[in-house]
Amino acid sequence: MKQLIPLVLLFIIASCSNTKSITSSESKTSLTSMVKMADISIEGMACQEGCADAIQANLTKIKGVNAAEVKYESGKAKIEFNPSLVSSEEIQKTITDTKVKDYIYTIKDVTITSKK
């Protein structure tokens, strides 16, 4: 009987640690599936240092935006975001509401994909 107790304890510990691994991998998968990528074409930018950098700075201030890169040369923004914290519409509004001199920024195209 004394030999059986350590064996049972070992089995219980092994079962618990295996469950934690499954739970941890499941939560990583669900967190990854919550991340989206937005590719947005922006019209109206005049330069990188003023327009694009200002838009990028405003985007990175939004709760739920993990990363943002705005390029004047391509006229595009690439934004990684959590849609449970911020919507695509809020991101677009931040872009169009950014003020640099008298420039008006408009959204030409938006593509939303899941992050891979």
Side-chain angles (χ1 to χ4, degrees):
M1 183 67 168
K2 288 183 181 182
Q3 294 174 351
L4 187 59
I5 292 174
L7 186 60
V8 171
L9 286 174
L10 181 62
F11 177 75
I12 291 171
I13 291 170
S15 297
C16 290
S17 66
N18 189 23
T19 304
K20 287 181 183 178
S21 297
I22 292 169
T23 305
S24 177
S25 86
E26 286 173 354
S27 66
K28 285 180 185 175
T29 301
S30 65
L31 286 175
T32 302
S33 66
M34 289 179 9
V35 176
K36 300 284 184 188
M37 294 297 297
D39 290 314
I40 302 175
S41 297
I42 304 168
E43 292 183 336
M45 292 189 290
C47 67
Q48 180 67 44
E49 292 77 24
C51 301
D53 289 348
I55 292 169
Q56 181 173 310
N58 287 342
L59 289 169
T60 58
K61 293 177 188 175
I62 303 171
K63 182 178 179 180
V65 171
N66 301 334
E69 180 179 47
V70 182
K71 297 287 185 183
Y72 163 71
E73 290 177 1
S74 64
K76 295 194 180 267
K78 294 187 180 291
I79 301 114
E80 179 183 307
F81 69 102
N82 182 333
S84 66
L85 298 175
V86 62
S87 69
S88 171
E89 291 77 17
E90 289 175 273
I91 291 170
Q92 292 175 60
K93 183 167 175 24
T94 298
I95 293 168
T96 58
D97 285 353
T98 297
K99 300 296 178 212
V100 176
K101 297 185 181 181
D102 292 331
Y103 297 115
I104 297 173
Y105 308 114
T106 56
I107 306 296
K108 180 179 176 185
D109 185 49
V110 178
T111 304
I112 307 291
T113 56
S114 294
K115 184 175 179 190
K116 296 177 183 179

